[in-house]
Amino acid sequence: MKDTYLINGQVYLGRRFEEKTLKLSGGRIQVLDKDAPVPRSEEVIDAAGRRVVPGFIDVHTHGGVGVDVNGATAEDLEKLSRFFAGNGTTAWLCSVLTDTEEQTRWCIDQFKAHRQGGQPTAELLGVHLEGPFLASAYKGAMPEHLLRKGDPELLRSYQEQAEGGIRYLTVSPEVEGVVELIPEARKLGIIPAIGHSGADYETSMAAIAAGAQAATHTFNAMGLFHQHRPAIMGAVLESDVYCEMICDGRHLHPGSVRLLIKTKGLDRVVAITDSIMAAGLPDGKYHLGVNEVVVEDGDAKLASDGTRAGSTLTQDVALRNLLAFTGRPMEELLPALTENPARLIGVFDRKGSIADGKDADLVVLDSENRVELVFTRGRLLDR
């Protein structure tokens, strides 16, 4: 197989853009000087001065293009991987909404089957369990009758079945047994996040001290800040946990995005989509797990009560929204979609930045910051 040389690109290195040549060989990156000789026998792609950035990483998505993760076969997961890659997301976690134990185990089996199939497009890095250890008062789209108290044996059983593939878990600190569950999750190699919660400040801080590393879709489905009762929101803003943010202009007002970034700093925010099966498709009726969802003007809500239910966002749009919402330069914002999620879920050794030896997951952006070319482990995606 020929090596690929990506020349004349403005490459994102060390949080700034430099003109460099990238050699993509064996699925890995080698950074070369811009004037490095290129063998005529190899494939050459001219970036023509366009920006070359790391592939985006989405740690929280429930689907897209007609595929709902809770009902996705291994083949459906590859359909999602191709869709995400086309929008610049070269690695992701499949987020399994709270479901029956039987269906959750089926989802884990589909993840394993997909992983064994080779994954030629965006890499499915693992499973995100959003529940079932969640608070009913902040359930959002979670089926209330399936919520349960912290159960380390169930979580251990899921992780054993997944062969270590569960990377991320959303829990509510106030639920019985959850604070005690968090260190057990860490021992299993799972990164706990707190959310779907009305926990008070003290309980939330106890969960963070126990090992919670992130906040799920910050500001959404959580108790709000009060000067006398900071609640979970105060805890996640004060502490060093990563904060997920849905930058679709619906879940968070642009001012809230700016406030979150200013409060947390650019190294502690993670841009997610929380997308559902309607992403990439027109308005209409869809589902999210067991829930019926209606999408109007791109806004997804439960048919039953109008509660917002995920999004139709893609990460390329999230990047452009962040640029518009904040007025900050691209160099400052890219870590929210690349480095920060990679560090959160423990894959920064091979993903999340452009450096020698890392996976050749790359996105070439045009002058309007739209995705023009995508490389997944060195392979140019046929878009």
Side-chain angles (χ1 to χ4, degrees), residues 64-82:
V65 286
V67 176
D68 177 63
V69 164
N70 279 53
T73 65
E75 293 76 18
D76 290 332
L77 292 172
E78 181 52 34
K79 181 179 178 181
L80 278 176
S81 289
R82 173 165 289 280

Side-chain angles (χ1 to χ4, degrees), residues 61-63 67-73 76-77 80 94-100 102-108 110 128-130 141-143 146 277 287-291:
T61 170
H62 298 280
V67 176
D68 177 63
V69 164
N70 279 53
T73 65
D76 290 332
L77 292 172
L80 278 176
C94 58
S95 298
V96 178
L97 198 77
T98 296
D99 213 321
T100 64
E102 178 184 20
Q103 189 64 23
T104 301
R105 292 188 182 281
W106 182 86
C107 291
I108 290 170
Q110 299 311 305
H128 164 212
L129 293 180
E130 193 171 9
M142 305 296 164
L146 295 176
M277 67 187 303
H287 64 267
L288 173 60
V290 300
N291 302 285

Side-chain angles (χ1 to χ4, degrees), residues 315-330:
Q315 281 194 298
D316 58 328
V317 175
L319 175 60
R320 293 194 294 275
N321 286 345
L322 273 169
L323 290 164
F325 293 169
T326 68
R328 291 177 180 265
M330 172 84 73

Side-chain angles (χ1 to χ4, degrees), residues 30 42 53 62-63 132 168 248 280 293 350-351 361 367-368 382:
Q30 184 178 355
E42 304 296 355
V53 304
H62 298 280
Y168 198 42
D248 61 353
V293 175
R350 64 187 183 95
K351 295 188 183 291
D361 294 342
S367 60
E368 296 181 343
D382 179 10

Side-chain angles (χ1 to χ4, degrees), residues 151-173:
D151 187 339
E153 291 305 318
L154 178 64
L155 186 61
R156 185 175 297 110
S157 175
Y158 282 162
Q159 184 68 310
E160 288 174 356
Q161 182 182 345
E163 298 172 355
I166 299 171
R167 285 187 175 267
Y168 198 42
L169 170 71
T170 298
V171 295
S172 301

Side-chain angles (χ1 to χ4, degrees), residues 34-348:
K34 65 179 182 178
D35 298 320
V38 177
R40 292 184 178 181
S41 59
E42 304 296 355
E43 182 179 6
V44 178
I45 297 176
D46 190 349
R50 293 186 288 275
R51 286 173 165 173
V52 182
V53 304
F56 310 143
I57 301 171
D58 193 356
V59 300
H60 189 160
T61 170
H62 298 280
V65 286
V67 176
D68 177 63
V69 164
N70 279 53
T73 65
E75 293 76 18
D76 290 332
L77 292 172
E78 181 52 34
K79 181 179 178 181
L80 278 176
S81 289
R82 173 165 289 280
F83 170 68
F84 293 146
N87 294 294
T89 299
T90 57
W92 61 294
L93 300 181
C94 58
S95 298
V96 178
L97 198 77
T98 296
D99 213 321
T100 64
E101 182 176 340
E102 178 184 20
Q103 189 64 23
T104 301
R105 292 188 182 281
W106 182 86
C107 291
I108 290 170
D109 283 341
Q110 299 311 305
F111 157 73
K112 288 164 56 180
H114 178 263
R115 182 170 57 181
Q116 293 163 2
Q119 304 192 48
T121 54
E123 184 174 355
L124 178 51
L125 295 170
V127 176
H128 164 212
L129 293 180
E130 193 171 9
F133 317 117
L134 300 176
S136 61
Y138 289 83
K139 66 183 185 301
M142 305 296 164
E144 186 167 5
H145 69 286
L146 295 176
L147 300 177
R148 56 197 301 170
K149 65 182 181 181
D151 187 339
E153 291 305 318
L154 178 64
L155 186 61
R156 185 175 297 110
S157 175
Y158 282 162
Q159 184 68 310
E160 288 174 356
Q161 182 182 345
E163 298 172 355
I166 299 171
R167 285 187 175 267
Y168 198 42
L169 170 71
T170 298
V171 295
S172 301
E174 70 269 40
V175 169
E176 181 183 348
V178 159
V179 172
E180 296 77 15
L181 177 68
I182 287 171
E184 296 304 314
R186 294 293 299 272
K187 290 176 186 177
L188 293 170
I190 301 169
I191 302 299
I194 54 176
H196 283 279
S197 168
D200 62 27
Y201 173 85
E202 291 74 17
T203 304
S204 301
M205 278 301 203
I208 292 167
Q213 298 291 295
T216 296
H217 41 55
T218 311
F219 296 146
N220 295 111
M222 67 169 52
L224 302 182
F225 180 86
H226 184 279
Q227 72 271 25
H228 300 307
R229 297 177 296 282
I232 182 174
M233 182 176 295
V236 301
L237 292 180
E238 179 191 353
S239 66
D240 289 332
V241 299
Y242 289 90
C243 281
E244 294 181 359
M245 56 183 182
I246 308 172
C247 298
D248 61 353
R250 295 185 173 97
H251 286 79
L252 297 175
H253 184 280
S256 298
V257 173
R258 293 190 293 270
L259 175 64
L260 183 58
I261 291 173
K262 190 170 185 177
T263 304
K264 295 298 299 184
L266 290 158
D267 291 334
R268 281 292 184 270
V269 289
V270 174
I272 62 162
T273 63
D274 198 12
S275 64
I276 67 168
M277 67 187 303
L281 297 176
D283 290 352
K285 295 181 179 180
Y286 297 95
H287 64 267
L288 173 60
V290 300
N291 302 285
E292 295 300 319
V293 175
V294 176
V295 178
E296 295 179 352
D297 192 27
D299 196 5
K301 296 182 179 180
L302 294 182
S304 58
D305 61 9
T307 299
R308 186 159 279 123
S311 83
T312 57
L313 187 65
T314 53
Q315 281 194 298
D316 58 328
V317 175
L319 175 60
R320 293 194 294 275
N321 286 345
L322 273 169
L323 290 164
F325 293 169
T326 68
R328 291 177 180 265
M330 172 84 73
E331 293 92 318
E332 292 185 2
L333 296 172
L334 277 169
L337 294 93
T338 58
E339 179 178 341
N340 298 349
R343 289 187 184 279
L344 170 60
I345 63 170
V347 296
F348 188 65

